[in-house]
Structures are given as C-alpha cells and as structure tokens.
Amino acid sequence: MGLKVKEFRAFFGLLWFGLLIFQPVAGLRPLRESARSWGDEWLVGRKDENEVGPFTAWNITGTYRGAWRFMQSSNTSSRFPDFKKSSGNSVLELMTRPTKINGVHYVQGVMIFHDVFDNEPEVGRVQIRVEGVYIWPFRQLRMVANSGRDGEFGQEEDYILSNPYHLLGVFSSQVFQESPRDKIWKSKQSPITDMDKHCNIEISAQISRVSSTQSDGEHDRYYLQGLMESPSADDDGDCFSPMIMNATSVNIEVYYNKAVNYTLMVTFISFLQVLLLIRQMEHSNTQSGAAKVSILMIGQQAIMDAYLCLLHLTAGILVESLFNAFATAAFFKFVVFSIFEMRYLLAIWKAGRSTNNGEGWEAMRRELSVLYSRFYGILLGGILIMYEFHRYLRPILLLLHSFWIPQIITNVLSDSRKPLHPHYIIGMSLTRLAIPLYVFGCPHNFMRIEPDKNWCIFLGALVGFQAAILILQHYLGSRCFIPRQILPEKYCYFRKVDQDSNHATDCVICMTAIDLTQHSNDCMVTPCDHFFHSGCLQRWMDIKMECPTCRRSLPPA
C-alpha cells in the first residue's frame, strides 16, 4: 500500500512538473525577459536532478562556433537597413548553473555575430549578452538579451573572459585584426546600441549531442539549433527578420593541441634557422666574405624575430594555461635574434669598418653602442608605427618580408661574388613563410583568423621572386639581369699583357712560376700590374680584397 502511494505521488509530481514547463516549450517561442533574474525566481526546494525522468543532465557550458542566416532570403525589416547580410558566422559563450527547480539550469553568456553589416566591413561584428534557462529534460534552451549594466555578470563573466578560446581570440583580434582604438570607434559606430534600446531579442534553441570522434576523446560535444527573433519594444513590428542559428561546441582540448602544435612548429623553425645561420656564418667567415653581406638584410630579419619573440611571450602571459608552450617558442626566437643574428650583425659591421679595428677598445665600444642603439631604436619605432597604422598590418608584413631586397641591391652595386650560401637563401625563405601562411592561410588555425588566399599567394610569390633573383646572382653573376649598356665599366683581370712584359714571374701566393707567354685564363693581372694564378687570386679575394704584393685595394672580379 505504501509503495502504491509513493508511486501515485511520484506520478502527480511529474505531471505537475510537466504542466509547469511544457507549455512554454511546446510553442517553441522564446521566453520574455522578466524584471528579476531568472535564477532567483525558482522557489521550489531543489532535489536531486537525476530523479527527473530517465535523462541525465548535460553540461552545456563552453564555447560554440556556428553560423546564422535569415529564414527569408534577406532582412525584410526597415528598422535597421544596414542589416543587409543574409548569413554569417557566430560564436557563442555559455555558462550554466543549476537552479532551485529540478531540470532547469540558469544560463548566461555572450553571442558574437560576424559579417553582419554589409556597408561597413569595419563594423561588421555584433556582440550581445544573453541570459535564460536551459530545460535539460527536454533539451530546450531559452534566452533573451541581457540589458543589465556592465559588471552584473559576476563569476560567469569571469569564466567567459578567462576561457583560453576567448583569450586567444582576443589576442589575435588585437594583434592581427583591430587595435583598442579601432575597437572603441567601432563600438560607437555599431547599430547594436540602438538594438539594445529598441529590440527584445529572444532565442529558442534545441540541444543535441554530437557523436564524438577519435580526436575528441571522452569530451562530449553538443549541437545547438534554434531561432532568434527581435520583436520591437514598442510593438511596431520586428527589428529584423527571424534568424536561424546553429553552432557546435568547441573541444577545448583539441584547441589546446592546436596551439601547442603551433608552438612546436615555431620551435622547430627556430632551430632550423639557427642551423642555417651557422652555415651562412661559416660561408662568410672571412672579413671579405662578411663585407659582402648586407647589414640591412640581417638587421631586418633580426627585427622580425624580435617581434615574433614579443608576440609569443605576450600570448603566453595572456593565456596562463599555455604559458609554457608559448614561452618556449618565444625563448627560441630570442636565441635566434639576440645571439646568432646580433653576432652576425656585429661581424658584418666590423668587416665594413676594417680601418677602425686598430683604434683600441674605446673605438670598438663606440661602434657597439651605435650598432645596438640603432637596432633597438628601429625596433621600438617599428612597434609604434605598427600600432599607429594597425589597419595596414598586412601591407606592413609584406614590407617586412622584402628582406632579400637589400642584399640584391648590395650585390648589384658592389658586384659581389656569392655572398650568401644557396642553402641559406632557400631555407630562410621557406622558414620565414611558415608562420604568416599558417596565421592567414590555414582554415583551422587556433587564432580564428579568416584565411586570405590571395594575400598568401602574393606573399609566397614575393619571397620566392626575391630568392630566385639571389640564386641567379649566385650562379650567373650579381649583374646578370642588368643590360650591359647601362652597366659601369668593369676592370678585367684577364687583360692583355704588354709585349715588354713577356717574361717568367712568380706568383707570390703559391710561390710557383707563371708563364706569361701563354696568355691564357690561368693568369690574372691586378690594376697595380702584379701577376697571379687565377685560382690563387680568386681564393685570396674571398679573404681580402687587397693586392697580396702591395696591399692596394682591388676591384671586384
């Protein structure tokens, strides 16, 4: 008898619960925003949520990525004529907590709609705070726009703002897409302010579970699909046409793995660049060889690595859970520019000022102070320029990746012979392209930046064209692509010898005889009329551009 009474009470309890929540769900109409917070309205004592039916509660807290589109072909409302886009991408951040009634969770979050306003691409994003309830036995989500003042979110906002997915999105937005000043200007220009005042935004959605893949592991993923409406506050029609929304939860672990894999790629690239720099420094380990290398080319690459070091260190500080990964990448970039590239920069600087090497330590200190002050002055000035002209970041990146141009010009002006090793040219070109092509070309990059295929193609063509010119200069001569008619007159080391000098002489480099009667290419004559074997003098000029006999400076061969 007692068992039947308990079953009878349980039956009527469930019936009462169904009548309480089923009526607003069945109509699939969003709930209206009330004066009080919905989390405080439930007065019924809370029980164990597992007692409500055979369902289990799904924790839908997390980040969702998806798309939005109008039910009709476009926005038919005249309230906001700028709302011309018919579809776009969206990001939804949700935070849920149980309430005092069984089966109902209180929901707060932020919805970000991209590609909204067609006529203002710089103001194309709308961000709306929302709150509502999640009725988990029926998998129903009902939300309205939260019109509360800033600072009323509490711990939910702390969760949203501390989410690594959100933090990395903010970082990429600040660095690669918009500056804080642009963000303030956009917030003033965006029509969302009028929407908050004159529109009651209501959302009704259905939650379903997505089958997990092998990469997801044990993490549950959810799919959200619903309707977003905007009845006017003064009952004068809708603010914009009904929108269909869908979004899928983001697996933060997979997102973490993407970021970690990116830092591993940067670390590996930095290691390759160190090897390439060592190879190049061995190739030009003499004073003459270092003087052929453009100091602007090495300095520009060092500045690029310094910027990358600062960016990765900033990302690691911002996203605390990924600090070790980003700090490792920043450390390797620091090693590349502060140890190897700065050391090479100093060697080139000393080779170009060989006459001052004997002036003592004071002169050397002055040279070092000038070198470092110029480098870090340009580094700081570049940061200020990029902040001021943040909207033109991609053209600035193209300018930074024109780092081979100073070497090409130096080769032409000085007619240098093989200043760079071919492996260094090809390897540096490829490794410098890896990071920008990932950020702006990978469709699933962790920074959530939309790919720009045309810009990536142009960047690859620009760097490839510069590298191709350097390779041609290496094998065909530094002035191979310039018409001979406009070239300055060049000294010929294989000029004819006067008849009066037809006698045997010795090469002071190898101390063997030179037969001048043959008039072959085995003999080279300097402007100061000293004779040497061709191979001997060419090897000598790779070390010093001075005559071995009288120490006069020699023109390029």
Side-chain angles (χ1 to χ4, degrees):
M1 184 66 178
L3 182 60
K4 291 184 178 180
V5 171
K6 290 182 179 180
E7 292 176 352
F8 188 80
R9 289 179 178 176
F11 173 80
F12 274 96
L14 291 176
L15 180 62
W16 172 84
F17 176 78
L19 291 176
L20 178 65
I21 67 173
F22 187 73
Q23 185 175 358
V25 175
L28 288 178
R29 295 288 300 177
L31 298 175
R32 297 283 181 167
E33 184 178 10
S34 61
R36 294 181 295 170
S37 177
W38 292 353
D40 299 330
E41 289 184 353
W42 313 107
L43 302 178
V44 181
R46 182 184 172 190
K47 299 180 181 179
D48 186 6
E49 291 185 340
N50 293 328
E51 296 179 1
V52 183
F55 303 100
T56 57
W58 291 347
N59 183 12
I60 62 172
T61 297
T63 303
Y64 295 77
R65 294 186 65 184
W68 62 269
R69 64 179 178 86
F70 287 115
M71 292 185 64
Q72 303 175 359
S73 58
S74 62
N75 183 24
T76 58
S77 176
S78 60
R79 177 63 65 90
F80 292 98
D82 292 334
F83 214 140
K84 294 182 179 180
K85 286 270 189 171
S86 59
S87 61
N89 299 320
S90 61
V91 176
L92 176 61
E93 301 271 3
L94 292 181
M95 174 66 181
T96 65
R97 69 168 183 261
T99 62
K100 297 178 182 180
I101 189 170
N102 296 342
V104 178
H105 286 189
Y106 177 60
V107 181
Q108 283 183 301
V110 176
M111 297 188 66
I112 302 174
F113 296 91
H114 298 274
D115 313 317
V116 173
F117 302 105
D118 195 14
N119 62 335
E120 292 288 344
E122 295 296 331
V123 195
R125 189 178 73 173
V126 169
Q127 180 171 316
I128 304 174
R129 288 184 173 184
V130 293
E131 66 174 349
V133 293
Y134 166 49
I135 310 171
W136 61 261
F138 297 94
R139 314 308 185 200
Q140 292 288 331
L141 179 63
R142 303 301 182 89
M143 297 185 295
V144 297
N146 182 4
S147 59
R149 297 183 303 274
D150 293 340
E152 292 186 357
F153 258 63
Q155 62 178 357
E156 288 78 12
E157 185 177 28
D158 294 338
Y159 164 78
I160 294 171
L161 296 180
S162 62
N163 190 332
Y165 185 85
H166 173 78
L167 290 175
L168 286 175
V170 172
F171 172 75
S172 62
S173 175
Q174 297 290 337
V175 175
F176 297 101
Q177 296 175 7
E178 61 183 356
S179 64
R181 184 176 57 183
D182 296 336
K183 188 175 181 180
I184 295 174
W185 178 81
K186 292 177 185 181
S187 63
K188 293 180 179 179
Q189 299 292 328
S190 176
I192 188 59
T193 304
D194 295 332
M195 289 185 184
D196 289 340
K197 294 180 180 178
H198 305 291
C199 300
N200 294 325
I201 300 176
E202 303 175 351
I203 302 165
S204 174
Q206 182 78 28
I207 307 292
S208 59
R209 180 177 289 176
V210 179
S211 58
S212 300
T213 60
Q214 185 176 1
S215 59
D216 295 331
E218 299 179 355
H219 182 81
D220 292 329
R221 299 183 64 197
Y222 303 104
Y223 178 74
L224 184 151
Q225 185 175 21
L227 183 67
M228 176 174 172
E229 296 178 293
S230 60
S232 175
D234 51 7
D235 295 330
D236 188 18
D238 292 341
C239 289
F240 48 85
S241 299
M243 297 167 52
I244 296 178
M245 319 165 31
N246 62 79
T248 305
S249 61
V250 177
N251 190 340
I252 299 298
E253 294 179 2
V254 174
Y255 192 71
Y256 269 35
N257 292 336
K258 286 184 179 181
V260 172
N261 290 337
Y262 164 79
T263 58
L264 290 176
M265 178 193 74
V266 175
T267 303
F268 179 70
I269 287 174
S270 302
F271 180 73
L272 289 180
Q273 290 175 347
V274 168
L275 297 180
L276 292 170
L277 280 168
I278 294 175
R279 184 69 176 268
Q280 172 60 27
M281 293 170 72
E282 292 176 350
H283 177 74
S284 58
N285 59 352
T286 62
Q287 180 180 343
S288 175
K292 299 176 185 178
V293 181
S294 172
I295 192 171
L296 294 179
M297 182 265 295
I298 298 297
Q300 189 169 343
Q301 294 189 53
I303 288 176
M304 291 173 59
D305 288 325
Y307 288 153
L308 289 173
C309 174
L310 293 175
L311 283 177
H312 288 90
L313 185 60
T314 304
I317 295 174
L318 181 64
V319 188
E320 186 178 356
S321 56
L322 292 173
F323 176 79
N324 291 337
F326 279 101
T328 303
F331 172 75
F332 273 86
K333 279 297 176 185
F334 178 79
V335 169
V336 171
F337 93 86
S338 66
I339 298 179
F340 291 94
E341 287 175 333
M342 290 301 296
R343 177 184 175 186
Y344 197 28
L345 201 68
L346 179 60
I348 298 171
W349 178 277
K350 291 173 61 179
R353 287 158 176 77
S354 58
T355 57
N356 296 332
N357 285 342
E359 295 182 1
W361 172 246
E362 291 297 328
M364 180 66 68
R365 256 191 3 185
R366 286 195 300 270
E367 290 181 2
L368 285 174
S369 62
V370 170
L371 175 64
Y372 281 97
S373 61
R374 288 182 180 178
F375 176 80
Y376 289 106
I378 295 174
L379 181 66
L380 179 59
I383 295 176
L384 298 178
I385 290 175
M386 284 192 290
Y387 178 82
E388 184 68 24
F389 301 97
H390 198 278
R391 295 185 180 182
Y392 307 99
L393 178 61
R394 297 189 182 187
I396 292 175
L397 290 177
L398 292 177
L399 183 62
L400 287 175
H401 282 83
S402 302
F403 50 85
W404 293 128
I405 292 180
Q407 185 63 54
I408 295 173
I409 297 175
T410 301
N411 292 348
V412 173
L413 294 179
S414 61
D415 197 14
S416 303
R417 293 178 63 253
K418 303 179 179 180
L420 302 180
H421 197 282
H423 293 173
Y424 176 77
I425 299 173
I426 298 174
M428 276 296 179
S429 299
L430 295 177
T431 54
R432 296 290 178 195
L433 285 173
I435 295 178
L437 289 184
Y438 172 82
V439 174
F440 297 103
C442 180
H444 302 292
N445 65 81
F446 74 96
M447 291 186 177
R448 292 148 45 196
I449 296 177
E450 290 297 326
D452 191 344
K453 181 179 179 181
N454 294 331
W455 186 85
C456 292
I457 293 175
F458 185 80
L459 176 65
L462 175 65
V463 177
F465 180 71
Q466 298 174 66
I469 293 180
L470 285 175
I471 294 296
L472 291 177
Q473 288 181 328
H474 181 85
Y475 290 104
L476 302 180
S478 58
R479 298 176 177 177
C480 61
F481 55 90
I482 299 179
R484 293 185 178 181
Q485 292 78 4
I486 64 175
L487 286 176
E489 187 176 353
K490 184 178 179 181
Y491 176 78
C492 180
Y493 280 89
F494 300 98
R495 61 185 174 89
K496 294 182 179 181
V497 183
D498 295 338
Q499 295 297 328
D500 297 338
S501 302
N502 288 340
H503 61 278
T505 186
D506 292 337
C507 173
V508 299
I509 299 176
C510 64
M511 303 304 295
T512 58
I514 303 174
D515 188 4
L516 301 179
T517 59
Q518 299 297 325
H519 299 290
S520 64
N521 291 333
D522 292 338
C523 176
M524 295 179 68
V525 185
T526 62
C528 47
D529 293 330
H530 295 120
F531 300 89
F532 307 92
H533 291 116
S534 299
C536 296
L537 186 60
Q538 287 178 0
R539 288 191 296 270
W540 176 271
M541 287 192 295
D542 287 337
I543 300 174
K544 286 186 178 182
M545 293 298 292
E546 297 176 352
C547 176
T549 302
C550 63
R551 302 301 179 184
R552 286 181 57 182
S553 60
L554 298 177

